[in-house]
Amino acid sequence: MVAVARGIGALEGDLFDEIASLKKQLNAVVLAHYYQDPDIQDIADFIGDSLQLAQEAAKTSADVIVFCGVHFMAETAKILNPTKQVLVPDLKAGCSLADGCPAPAFQRFKDKYPGHFVVSYVNCSAAVKAISDVIVTSSNAKKIVARIPADRPIIFAPDQHLGRYVMKETGRDMVLWPGSCQVHELFSLKKLVQLESRHPDALVIAHPECEAPVLERAHHIGSTRSLLDFAVSSSAKTFIVATEPGIMHQMEKKTEGSGKVFIAAPPDSACACNECPHMKLNTLEKVYLAMRTRQPEITVDPEISKKALVPIQRMLEWS
Ligand code: 13P
Ligand code: SF4
């Protein structure tokens, strides 16, 4: 490991070239989420929100998928490609939503509501997906919930804020698992209002994992991809961005020269806790190492994988 680390030190400036040549050697595709460090986004073959990344994983012809995001996203890619190798830069990159909804506790929760249709946000483990009826992401949750027969009661897990937003938008009542995202629940309403008063022409754009009072101030609510598209196509010049600031790299790149300004919505304290600590565990060096050593690798129990594939495929069909 030390030798490898020393090797990296000598490589520094060549990491981009080394990763490019490893991609060819392994016939690998690098998929990255919008919350990844700019360097990782810049070497990725494809950048997207959770739905787009799952769709891309489902159709890739690469032999190796290098997934730069968090564990549940890479796990979804593996479930869709059980025979391919799925590498991640850091196996410890989790998610507070997935970690806060263990499958045995979720099964007990489900047992209290017999006959309910179980809708699980993609931010959950493969074991939770395996006991769900359909998976949703922030970009298709409204559409998918609206398709469920009106007389069928629904459980929605694990994000209560996304769940409440979907309830409001679709008019469907749902039983909510009480989970939340440690990043999105920390945006300060008070500081957001103060920021808006300093930038009266700014539009607030927010991810639906934010709490309801923050969402109420938003001019546009959507997945990371939807926020990006809105920022690019809007005629406004200033945007207050209420989601993980990694997305601002693509916003700035895609609007270069337009004079558009993106301001990160402030968290409750002076910390950098609007940055996802899990997403930020990944670094360019770790991407390189994962490709060079072909580890760490995502594995999913074959039985769980088979069961989890059913609601994931239903999501892809219904999207
Ligand atoms: P998106 O699907 O909108 O990219 O969201 C993923 C996520 O983890 C948001 O915190
Ligand atoms: Fe999970 Fe929140 Fe990080 Fe998204 S931002 S991966 S929901 S902890």
Side-chain angles (χ1 to χ4, degrees):
M1 191 67 202
V2 173
V4 173
R6 241 188 246 124
I8 282 197
L11 273 169
E12 277 314 338
D14 298 332
L15 271 183
F16 284 82
D17 294 343
E18 289 294 325
I19 290 171
S21 104
L22 281 166
K23 274 189 206 175
K24 283 198 194 116
Q25 227 172 288
L26 305 178
N27 186 26
V29 65
V30 179
L31 307 182
H33 187 264
Y34 290 119
Y35 294 164
Q36 291 296 278
D37 274 345
D39 275 354
I40 296 180
Q41 293 189 34
D42 290 346
I43 55 100
D45 298 297
F46 183 85
I47 317 165
D49 67 12
S50 308
L51 177 63
Q52 292 178 299
L53 291 169
Q55 287 167 329
E56 199 60 27
K59 65 177 190 220
T60 186
S61 58
D63 295 321
V64 176
I65 298 172
V66 183
F67 206 109
C68 303
V70 289
H71 192 274
F72 75 82
M73 295 177 175
E75 206 174 44
T76 304
K78 180 67 183 176
I79 293 165
L80 286 162
N81 294 283
T83 59
K84 289 184 179 167
Q85 187 173 40
V86 178
L87 299 171
V88 290
D90 193 318
L91 214 44
K92 291 191 292 300
C95 167
S96 66
L97 279 166
D99 298 344
C101 186
F106 186 56
Q107 181 62 58
R108 287 194 295 278
F109 182 79
K110 255 185 75 171
D111 292 344
K112 287 200 270 179
Y113 303 99
H116 283 54
F117 196 83
V118 180
V119 181
S120 291
Y121 187 31
V122 69
N123 298 40
C124 65
S125 66
V128 167
K129 288 183 176 78
I131 52 172
S132 303
D133 293 309
V134 70
I135 304 305
V136 299
T137 74
S138 55
S139 66
N140 59 22
K142 288 192 277 184
K143 188 176 171 186
I144 288 179
V145 166
R147 268 187 75 143
I148 299 167
D151 58 351
R152 191 83 192 268
I154 302 171
I155 288 175
F156 187 93
D159 186 7
Q160 58 178 310
H161 302 302
L162 174 64
R164 240 170 246 124
Y165 169 68
V166 171
M167 274 167 64
K168 185 166 156 262
E169 292 289 306
T170 61
R172 292 297 298 268
D173 200 20
M174 302 193 292
V175 179
L176 303 178
W177 172 272
S180 54
C181 160
Q182 70 188 93
V183 175
H184 288 85
E185 71 177 354
L186 283 185
F187 290 117
S188 159
L189 179 63
K190 190 169 143 211
K191 288 186 187 170
L192 176 62
V193 173
Q194 285 167 350
L195 196 57
E196 283 185 82
S197 66
R198 290 206 300 278
H199 301 276
D201 296 330
L203 297 186
V204 177
I205 55 177
H207 195 279
E209 287 175 11
C210 294
E211 292 183 342
V214 169
L215 293 182
E216 274 158 29
R217 300 212 63 87
H219 300 88
H220 179 73
I221 298 168
S223 75
T224 48
R225 169 59 190 262
S226 165
L227 300 184
L228 175 62
D229 288 348
F230 182 83
V232 171
S233 63
S234 167
S235 56
K237 285 286 181 208
T238 309
F239 301 85
I240 298 173
V241 184
T243 192
E244 216 273 0
I247 184 73
M248 285 162 46
H249 180 55
Q250 292 303 318
M251 288 177 177
E252 281 157 3
K253 264 177 106 165
K254 288 190 185 296
T255 61
E256 213 179 334
S258 69
K260 287 189 178 180
V261 175
F262 301 100
I263 306 167
D268 222 1
S269 63
C271 63
C273 34
N274 57 340
E275 290 202 349
C276 175
H278 309 287
M279 289 277 182
K280 271 20 187 200
L281 277 178
N282 298 336
T283 61
L284 199 60
E285 285 82 358
K286 288 182 189 174
V287 175
Y288 164 73
L289 269 183
M291 293 176 81
R292 199 172 98 171
T293 62
R294 296 189 74 155
Q295 56 170 320
E297 180 180 359
I298 293 283
T299 54
V300 185
D301 174 90
E303 268 311 298
I304 290 181
S305 182
K306 226 164 74 189
K307 288 183 186 151
L309 182 62
V310 177
I312 294 173
Q313 265 173 342
R314 189 169 288 146
M315 168 184 82
L316 296 174
E317 278 158 29
W318 288 12
S319 291

